[in-house]
Amino acid sequence: MTTPFPFTAVVGQDDLRLALLLNAVSPAVGGVLVRGEKGTAKSTAVRALSALLPAVAVVPGCRFSCDPGAPDPGCPDGPHEAAPGGERAARMVELPVGASEDRLVGALDIERALAEGVKAFEPGLLADAHRGILYVDEVNLLHDHLVDLLLDAAAMGASYVEREGVSVRHASKFLLVGTMNPEEGELRPQLLDRFGLTVEVAASREPDQRVEVVRRRLAYDDDPAAFAARWAGEEAAVRQRIVTARELLPQVRLGDAALRQIAATCAAFEVDGMRADIVMARTATALAAWAGRTDVLAEDVRQAALLALPHRRRRNPFDAPGLDEDKLDETLEQSAGQDGDGDDDPDGPGGGGQPAPESGPEGGGDTAARPEAGEGGEPRPAGAGAGEQAPVRAAEPFRTKVLSVPGIGEGAAGRRSRARTEHGRTTGARRPQGALTKLHLAATVQAAAPYQRARGRSGPGLVIRRDDLRQASREGREGNLVLFVVDASGSMAARQRMGAVKGAVLSLLLDAYQRRDKVGLVTFRGSGADVALPPTSSVDAAAVRLESLPTGGRTPLAAGLLKAHEVLRVERLRDPARRALLVVVTDGRATGGPEPVALAGRAARLFAAEQVASVVVDCESGPVRLGLAGQLAGELAGTAVTLDELRADSIAGLVRDVQGTSRRAA
């Protein structure tokens, strides 16, 4: 068995370690989401936590880790008789991002269930994680159907496995810990809210601290057992402190003054729902127990806010997480000043403004907000040519109409275009390839029925053989690669017009985020085109690039299309199953170089020949319209929509699918 890196040997990352320890003291806090760049000890710290957790009392032989003091009455291995319990070490179960549904929730033997009426159940990871830690590395890359199962289990404290009327339920209460790199995409809001706390981590910029990180890592790699032995004393001390804090936790007093500060803070930052208030209360209580106190102080409330609120105050995926600490201090001081007698506030007046406990440079709430583009006085970008304008701020985003790729694909799970998937509505049946995962009951019975007499059936049950089983064919939705090709030339440079264009692209990016697409951004102006953002799952990165986009110069439309064609060619080699949707945002003008219009037409016909689904967002304005964007859409064999028609609530046009050359599929 591999010796884990000691928790106490992790250098810095004070907020991360504190958040994990608070959950060890009070699992009711609700878990931790760790956000940060690669190589910052996120996974190392999480894996090291399990060695510090106290042992768990279990019913001997129970595969579902029932507590002998209060066994689950519905346990599939039960009922459990009163008997002395045993102990085992606390578990940390890792959920791979590519895991199957059966691996997560467990699997039923459908063949035995049909033929013998026996509920033969093999537990999954949710059963293994019961009363322990469920750790998901790169949780933002987890497939949607697994996210749905996690949400159900986290909300109900139980896992249900149902297959064609056969149902098994078992308890599943776990500490959910996830790590993610925001550059690879964000989490669904529902799952994000399920994490009690969040911390932002980053590598230290202090040379001495970085030297110590390298020194300890090299020592661990040379001899893990010897390195762990050197830290055994510190590990034992922290383990005992967790036990002591757990014993003290029921005695901690959360007074009315602290509750008012919690409520005022959540209201001031306009977080949705009441979960934030509850998590803050539990976190502040755990902080007091960890410090060895029985009263919650104002500093506990402040630290709880920094850990529990940053991921809950985001209004859309393009908002940077974090809290305005000046606003937090002001809110705490005001709520403390409104307390009439102050008996419940040990710090007295103004206690809410005291500094938080010392934390490392990776503080969870100290994330700077994105600068707004196009503000007055913004300097011209380096290397800007004559006539180039500073970036323009995007207009407010809106809900867009659904743009989808026609036909049926087999790409990554998502919410945009039709696809053959393991999840969705049943459209038919087929013989299973490998293990049976989704039984088509009617087709199975129909296949077995003609042979019952020949097989000697004498009882009420069917005689089922492997050849009779039929797999359900299902149709769901996939995520696509949405490649934006944005005209940033002088013909688009009117400030009001470019603001509307950026607002439209931002709206489409928000739609891509909600539909789990990959996105890329190509811009063209002046003398050529640039890949502003290679295809990525980080939609907010595309939004940042869009905000800083300057405008001006000629309109090399052909260069933009050829650059997009090259991006799609490379991406097709990397991920052949993911279908592309080309979104060209332009007024259709083409200038610069010899025969720019004819060259743009030839470039557009490349996409038509390769049957790439495309849409042109027509940005032409004014009383006289040339219809050039519509002509471009014709060359692409796609569809043109105006900015007004792009709005979901617009009556200017109908909801339409992208009409690629795959009209041929109709």
Side-chain angles (χ1 to χ4, degrees):
M1 181 177 178
T2 304
T3 303
F5 193 91
F7 186 86
T8 51
V10 175
V11 179
Q13 311 295 18
D14 294 345
D15 285 347
L16 169 58
R17 292 192 294 168
L18 177 61
L20 292 171
L21 289 170
L22 292 177
N23 275 275
V25 171
S26 176
V29 166
V32 186
L33 174 64
V34 188
R35 297 165 47 95
E37 58 197 26
K38 50 189 175 292
T40 50
K42 301 188 298 293
S43 300
T44 299
V46 174
R47 293 190 176 102
L49 176 67
S50 59
L52 299 178
L53 298 179
V56 178
V58 296
V59 173
C62 178
R63 296 175 298 167
F64 302 90
S65 303
C66 280
D67 185 347
D72 180 10
C75 176
D77 285 356
H80 299 296
E81 298 180 359
E87 280 192 351
R88 64 160 174 79
R91 289 176 181 163
M92 190 195 74
V93 177
E94 293 196 42
L95 172 60
V97 294
S100 66
E101 179 181 339
D102 287 347
R103 185 71 187 97
L104 178 61
V105 301
L108 288 170
D109 190 330
I110 301 297
E111 189 171 354
R112 290 188 63 192
L114 285 175
E116 304 173 29
V118 176
K119 293 183 181 180
F121 180 67
E122 184 67 28
L125 295 177
L126 288 179
D128 293 342
H130 181 45
R131 304 177 66 201
I133 300 173
L134 182 62
Y135 171 50
V136 189
D137 193 14
E138 306 294 349
V139 64
N140 50 326
L141 304 182
L142 199 63
H143 287 278
D144 277 353
H145 68 282
L146 298 182
V147 171
D148 294 337
L149 294 170
L150 274 183
L151 288 172
D152 289 342
M156 298 183 292
S159 175
Y160 292 84
V161 183
E162 298 190 15
R163 298 284 172 82
E164 305 297 343
V166 181
S167 177
V168 172
R169 172 217 167 269
H170 64 82
S172 182
K173 298 179 180 178
F174 48 83
L175 176 62
L176 182 60
V177 180
T179 55
M180 60 174 284
N181 184 346
E183 294 177 356
E184 297 172 336
E186 288 291 346
L187 275 179
R188 281 173 53 183
Q190 296 94 330
L191 183 57
L192 187 64
D193 190 50
R194 281 292 170 187
F195 287 98
L197 309 179
T198 184
V199 290
E200 294 277 337
V201 297
S204 172
R205 300 298 184 257
E206 293 294 331
D208 290 343
Q209 194 172 74
R210 296 175 73 97
V211 167
E212 186 61 23
V213 169
V214 175
R215 182 182 291 121
R216 293 186 188 183
R217 186 69 213 189
L218 293 178
Y220 171 78
D221 291 341
D222 288 342
D223 191 343
F227 183 81
R230 269 191 282 155
W231 291 87
E234 288 84 350
E235 293 281 287
V238 173
R239 190 179 299 110
Q240 181 56 47
R241 188 175 175 185
I242 291 174
V243 173
T244 303
R246 282 189 173 187
E247 295 172 350
L248 183 62
L249 187 64
Q251 305 172 36
V252 175
R253 176 172 172 265
L254 183 65
D256 288 344
L259 281 173
R260 278 192 288 272
Q261 286 185 317
I262 290 170
T265 301
C266 292
F269 284 98
E270 299 180 348
V271 296
D272 295 330
M274 294 298 298
R275 183 173 283 120
D277 303 64
I278 297 170
V279 170
M280 272 190 66
R282 289 172 175 166
T283 305
T285 303
L287 280 162
W290 179 248
R293 291 185 268 101
T294 56
D295 286 309
V296 173
L297 306 183
E299 65 190 46
D300 299 325
V301 175
R302 186 183 191 278
Q303 184 65 48
L306 292 175
L307 293 173
L309 296 188
H311 61 304
R312 292 188 166 90
R313 59 158 292 275
R314 303 180 75 188
R315 312 317 297 176
N316 66 65
F318 307 137
D319 290 338
L323 289 183
D324 182 340
E325 294 197 35
D326 291 336
K327 180 179 179 180
L328 173 61
D329 291 336
E330 181 182 350
T331 301
L332 292 173
E333 289 175 358
Q334 289 177 352
S335 58
Q338 293 172 359
D339 181 27
D341 51 25
D343 292 339
D344 291 324
D345 186 359
D347 287 341
Q354 293 192 10
E358 182 180 351
S359 61
E362 300 83 10
D366 194 19
T367 302
R370 290 185 288 109
E372 293 291 347
E375 294 178 348
E378 184 169 349
R380 177 175 294 181
E388 183 174 288
Q389 298 185 14
V392 178
R393 181 182 302 175
E396 279 297 312
F398 52 84
R399 190 166 63 91
T400 66
K401 290 179 178 170
V402 179
L403 304 175
S404 62
V405 179
I408 299 180
E410 295 180 343
R415 292 190 177 86
R416 184 172 297 277
S417 303
R418 295 171 57 203
R420 298 180 185 91
T421 64
E422 289 295 317
H423 303 271
R425 64 185 182 90
T426 301
T427 58
R430 57 180 173 83
R431 291 182 182 272
Q433 303 294 324
L436 177 71
T437 56
K438 298 290 184 182
L439 179 74
H440 195 296
L441 181 59
T444 299
V445 172
Q446 187 176 9
Y451 307 104
Q452 295 304 297
R453 181 175 297 178
R455 293 173 183 174
R457 172 186 170 186
S458 58
L462 286 174
V463 180
I464 300 290
R465 295 181 180 174
R466 175 69 185 177
D467 289 344
D468 301 327
L469 300 178
R470 294 295 182 268
Q471 177 88 17
S473 298
R474 300 184 180 236
E475 182 179 304
R477 295 282 170 176
E478 66 178 1
N480 300 124
L481 167 60
V482 183
L483 181 61
F484 295 91
V485 182
V486 180
D487 184 348
S489 65
S491 66
M492 302 277 289
R495 296 189 67 84
Q496 184 175 0
R497 183 181 179 194
M498 195 61 196
V501 169
K502 284 189 175 183
V505 178
L506 197 64
S507 303
L508 290 167
L509 284 172
L510 182 59
D511 182 67
Y513 163 78
Q514 294 167 341
R515 300 184 187 280
R516 311 298 286 175
D517 295 316
K518 289 181 71 173
V519 297
L521 179 63
V522 172
T523 63
F524 60 94
R525 64 185 180 88
S527 59
D530 297 305
V531 180
L533 184 71
T536 175
S537 296
S538 181
V539 177
D540 55 343
V544 172
R545 302 292 174 89
L546 179 70
E547 277 193 349
S548 60
L549 178 66
T551 57
R554 294 182 178 275
T555 311
L557 177 57
L561 294 174
L562 291 173
K563 181 68 72 174
H565 185 267
E566 176 64 16
V567 170
L568 292 184
R569 185 189 67 80
V570 173
E571 193 65 19
R572 200 176 294 122
L573 296 174
R574 293 174 176 168
D575 190 358
R578 189 181 289 269
R579 297 188 294 167
L581 172 62
L582 182 72
V583 179
V584 185
V585 185
T586 181
D587 56 10
R589 289 181 172 85
T591 60
E595 300 183 341
V597 176
L599 186 58
R602 288 197 293 272
R605 287 192 288 275
L606 291 175
F607 295 95
E610 295 176 2
Q611 303 172 359
V612 176
S614 59
V615 62
V616 177
V617 180
D618 185 357
C619 303
E620 191 174 26
S621 60
V624 178
R625 295 177 181 265
L626 303 178
L628 298 177
Q631 295 176 24
L632 175 63
E635 299 281 9
L636 289 165
T639 295
V641 295
T642 66
L643 289 174
D644 288 339
E645 290 172 341
L646 194 61
R647 293 178 177 271
D649 55 357
S650 171
I651 60 174
L654 301 174
V655 177
R656 64 186 76 187
D657 282 353
V658 179
Q659 300 297 318
T661 54
S662 52
R663 288 175 180 171
R664 66 195 180 286

